[in-house]
Amino acid sequence: MLAGASRSVFISFRYPMFPHHSRSLGRDWTTPWENLQRCCWNRHISSCMRWPGHYSRAPYPYFSSRHFSLNWRPPCLSESRTQFQYCNWRPDNLSQTSLIHLSSYVMNAEGDEPSSKRRKHQGVIKRNWEYICSHDKEKTKILGDKNVDPKCEDSENKFDFSVMSYNILSQDLLEDNSHLYRHCRRPVLHWSFRFPNILKEIKHFDADVLCLQEVQEDHYGAEIRPSLESLGYHCEYKMRTGRKPDGCAICFKHSKFSLLSVNPVEFFRPDISLLDRDNVGLVLLLQPKIPYAACPAICVANTHLLYNPRRGDIKLTQLAMLLAEISSVAHQKDGSFCPIVMCGDFNSVPGSPLYSFIKEGKLNYEGLPIGKVSGQEQSSRGQRILSIPIWPPNLGISQNCVYEVQQVPKVEKTDSDLTQTQLKQTEVLVTAEKLSSNLQHHFSLSSVYSHYFPDTGIPEVTTCHSRSAITVDYIFYSAEKEDVAGHPGAEVALVGGLKLLARLSLLTEQDLWTVNGLPNENNSSDHLPLLAKFRLEL
């Protein structure tokens, strides 16, 4: 394409080619093509680009027609000032002595995000600790990290611990859904840039329990688990079924807990057509390490429910399976439940039927459109109504979200007629019970967050990308009886009960777009970490 090596080509790109902050460029500048290629290949940006003859699996090629406007034409050659044909222009036709012109100007390419979502400012978002005054439920104090509410001081008859829930964004899922991250500078999307930031957050907040979602298996084995173990965590992991590359992890500090049991939950069931998705959950029973007092175990659950907004039937069934496992793990010999912390990405918004079911302990889903369960689907047109029952009897989970005990009639083997009669009677009773459209669970669960800012009513946000900014991540916990007076299910006995001491504040969508949304230079997932401090009265 180029007539001679002495000519130079100047090309303006939408995205900065060098892994430097835009403010450090200062002005337009040029660099030889071979230097550009060598520099980018030796830096973390290399796997975000497709160089000729290198790294064929490149999720974010810089040289693509979608990066240029439809009216863009290559500038004239520097010597002859004549234009070359652009219809067959390819980057591999550039000579090794050509110059690439890197401009700080951002091109307006077709398919760009709205101007409100193209922010040049790169800053650090400020999140404060909100300390909850347990003796005055209506009063909330917002203090700095170094300030401590005097009523939250520890003592010998209390066990304090902190929990973080964080969807860290699997790299494979990021690359498979690159349209969600068009607002991002490409270098900040590479795993070699993101993981140090994520680890830095984990170190900074220093939570006693980590519930992580979208933990990619190869990264978990090679980097995540070794890094967390070096920080004093014990790690348990459950990969999604099928060929999915990621899963859920629960990690806890050796110094705070000992492990009593590990209970993975697979939501895929080959014998049930409804449950054909590969989501999973993980439930741990942890024993607090307290030398001076007896302390009940704490049940910690983590999950990532199905995303599909139009499949509320699957989401509710997956939730029921998780609750059944929690009930089995947290159930004590005296019939009570030990304290429960349930974290995860529930792919449901506050106030939705699924969310309300978790908090209120009951849901009548008769006549409920399948797409309205999670609150993510705006229109109900063309949606079928949830069937009654939602899941088939062979799942083995009752409408109370507990495992059913299969009781087989004890009869003589020779009396086949009597056996068939009793089996039919049992089947009729089970069918009658299953026809109810009322779901229930026996936990008194509260949400750590209120989901709206009290002064303005603006929604809090836990995830933000090019398509949406909403709340889908939660930390639910077994509240003390005094905190759930009149709450459905409050009559259920608890051993102790958890008191919320503090939570790390969330942000608004506007707050996040002032730092170019998520991910960005300092926050390396499209979700924010949720963090809470609890107290268990002994």
Side-chain angles (χ1 to χ4, degrees):
M1 181 175 68
L2 298 178
S6 61
R7 296 179 178 178
S8 60
V9 179
F10 291 81
I11 304 169
S12 180
F13 292 91
R14 178 185 171 196
Y15 298 105
M17 300 295 292
F18 273 19
H20 296 299
H21 298 292
S22 57
R23 61 177 179 270
S24 67
L25 297 178
R27 59 182 176 83
D28 296 351
W29 50 284
T30 61
T31 183
W33 170 269
E34 65 273 15
N35 291 348
L36 172 65
Q37 183 172 357
R38 185 184 309 113
C39 176
C40 292
W41 183 253
N42 290 333
R43 296 291 297 273
H44 63 265
I45 194 174
S46 61
S47 62
C48 292
M49 307 183 67
R50 182 179 289 116
W51 298 108
H54 293 287
Y55 206 85
S56 60
R57 185 177 180 272
Y60 304 110
Y62 280 89
F63 300 107
S64 173
S65 59
R66 65 183 175 85
H67 292 152
F68 303 95
S69 66
L70 294 178
N71 297 324
W72 180 85
R73 292 170 179 265
C76 59
L77 297 179
S78 60
E79 286 190 355
S80 64
R81 311 297 295 176
T82 59
Q83 292 186 345
F84 55 81
Q85 294 296 320
Y86 60 87
C87 57
N88 294 322
W89 183 86
R90 290 173 56 86
D92 51 352
N93 291 329
L94 293 175
S95 70
Q96 292 296 315
T97 57
S98 301
L99 297 179
I100 301 297
H101 178 259
L102 301 180
S103 174
S104 60
Y105 173 71
V106 178
M107 299 183 66
N108 294 321
E110 182 182 19
D112 275 358
E113 296 301 320
S115 59
S116 62
K117 293 185 179 182
R118 292 199 307 271
R119 306 295 178 89
K120 295 181 181 180
H121 175 67
Q122 294 294 331
V124 179
I125 54 178
K126 178 64 176 177
R127 299 178 65 187
N128 297 317
W129 277 105
E130 299 175 347
Y131 285 91
I132 311 302
C133 182
S134 60
H135 297 283
D136 185 359
K137 291 180 288 185
E138 303 298 324
K139 185 178 180 181
T140 300
K141 292 185 178 181
I142 303 178
L143 305 173
D145 288 351
K146 295 182 180 180
N147 297 323
V148 179
D149 188 336
K151 295 177 182 177
C152 294
E153 293 177 354
D154 200 3
S155 63
E156 291 187 357
N157 61 342
K158 299 177 177 66
F159 177 74
D160 292 356
F161 65 101
S162 56
V163 177
M164 173 189 280
S165 181
Y166 196 4
N167 183 325
I168 64 174
L169 181 57
S170 160
Q171 188 67 22
D172 279 4
L173 293 179
L174 182 155
E175 295 175 5
D176 290 343
N177 298 277
S178 58
H179 62 282
L180 299 178
Y181 311 104
R182 290 177 180 173
H183 63 282
C184 302
R185 292 180 60 246
R186 293 304 186 244
V188 307
L189 297 178
H190 195 266
W191 178 249
S192 63
F193 181 90
R194 296 201 304 117
F195 178 63
N197 271 359
I198 293 171
L199 188 61
K200 181 180 178 181
E201 282 186 294
I202 293 175
K203 286 181 178 179
H204 173 71
F205 293 120
D206 195 31
D208 299 315
V209 179
L210 305 175
C211 291
L212 306 178
Q213 304 89 42
E214 289 194 27
V215 180
Q216 194 163 304
E217 183 193 27
D218 55 345
H219 292 156
Y220 174 76
E223 298 171 271
I224 298 174
R225 180 174 181 174
S227 298
L228 294 180
E229 287 180 342
S230 68
L231 297 176
Y233 289 97
H234 174 89
C235 303
E236 295 291 338
Y237 178 71
K238 175 57 183 174
M239 186 179 176
R240 285 201 288 167
T241 52
R243 297 184 177 180
K244 301 301 187 296
D246 65 291
C248 295
I250 300 179
C251 313
F252 60 89
K253 287 285 188 68
H254 286 289
S255 59
K256 298 284 287 190
F257 299 96
S258 57
L259 180 63
L260 297 181
S261 68
V262 180
N263 309 273
V265 185
E266 295 183 355
F267 299 143
F268 175 80
R269 289 285 296 269
D271 56 329
I272 299 177
S273 59
L274 173 68
L275 296 173
D276 60 350
R277 308 305 166 93
D278 295 303
N279 305 82
V280 296
L282 185 60
V283 183
L284 266 57
L285 191 63
L286 303 178
Q287 180 64 54
K289 291 184 176 180
I290 300 181
Y292 47 78
C295 184
I298 297 175
C299 179
V300 178
N302 185 24
T303 192
H304 189 177
L305 299 185
L306 176 71
Y307 164 73
N308 191 335
R310 300 179 66 86
R311 293 308 304 268
D313 53 345
I314 298 179
K315 295 188 185 191
L316 275 175
T317 306
Q318 290 180 346
L319 176 61
M321 296 172 71
L322 180 68
L323 291 173
E325 186 65 28
I326 293 174
S327 179
S328 176
V329 172
H331 193 267
Q332 305 294 294
K333 293 181 180 180
D334 60 359
S336 63
F337 294 98
C338 69
I340 298 164
V341 177
M342 184 171 70
C343 303
D345 182 343
F346 290 82
N347 274 314
S348 301
V349 301
S352 65
L354 188 144
Y355 172 88
S356 299
F357 173 52
I358 294 175
K359 286 198 65 177
E360 297 175 7
K362 61 181 180 179
L363 172 67
N364 186 348
Y365 60 86
E366 184 177 4
L368 181 63
I370 191 173
K372 292 294 186 180
V373 169
S374 64
Q376 297 167 294
E377 189 72 16
Q378 299 301 318
S379 173
S380 59
R381 292 185 59 185
Q383 294 184 20
R384 63 180 175 86
I385 304 301
L386 285 172
S387 61
I388 303 175
I390 299 175
W391 56 82
N394 62 325
L395 179 60
I397 295 177
S398 73
Q399 298 290 90
N400 293 329
C401 298
V402 296
Y403 291 124
E404 290 180 319
V405 178
Q406 302 296 329
Q407 296 181 350
V408 179
K410 295 182 179 180
V411 296
E412 296 294 333
K413 295 182 180 180
T414 56
D415 195 350
S416 58
D417 294 336
L418 180 60
T419 302
Q420 293 298 322
T421 301
Q422 292 187 354
L423 287 176
K424 288 181 180 179
Q425 291 177 349
T426 303
E427 183 179 353
V428 170
L429 292 175
V430 171
T431 302
E433 178 190 357
K434 291 295 184 179
L435 289 178
S436 172
S437 60
N438 293 305
L439 293 180
Q440 291 183 327
H441 68 76
H442 298 297
F443 310 123
S444 302
L445 297 177
S446 295
S447 174
V448 163
Y449 291 92
S450 57
H451 314 306
Y452 296 91
F453 289 91
D455 297 335
T456 62
I458 298 176
E460 296 173 336
V461 168
T462 67
T463 180
C464 177
H465 51 65
S466 296
R467 292 290 179 88
S468 66
I470 56 176
T471 286
V472 294
D473 307 279
Y474 303 94
I475 300 177
F476 297 102
Y477 68 101
S478 298
E480 286 186 318
K481 291 182 181 180
E482 64 180 48
D483 292 336
V484 291
H487 190 283
E491 69 281 357
V492 177
L494 291 172
V495 177
L498 298 176
K499 181 180 296 182
L500 178 62
L501 299 182
R503 63 194 177 199
L504 189 65
S505 64
L506 289 173
L507 302 167
T508 67
E509 179 180 3
Q510 183 178 5
D511 293 333
L512 289 173
W513 281 117
T514 61
V515 291
N516 202 37
L518 297 174
N520 56 52
E521 300 286 343
N522 299 291
N523 308 92
S524 286
S525 173
D526 57 350
H527 292 248
L528 291 173
L530 278 58
L531 196 64
K533 295 180 180 179
F534 297 106
R535 169 165 293 169
L536 177 62
E537 302 282 355
L538 303 179

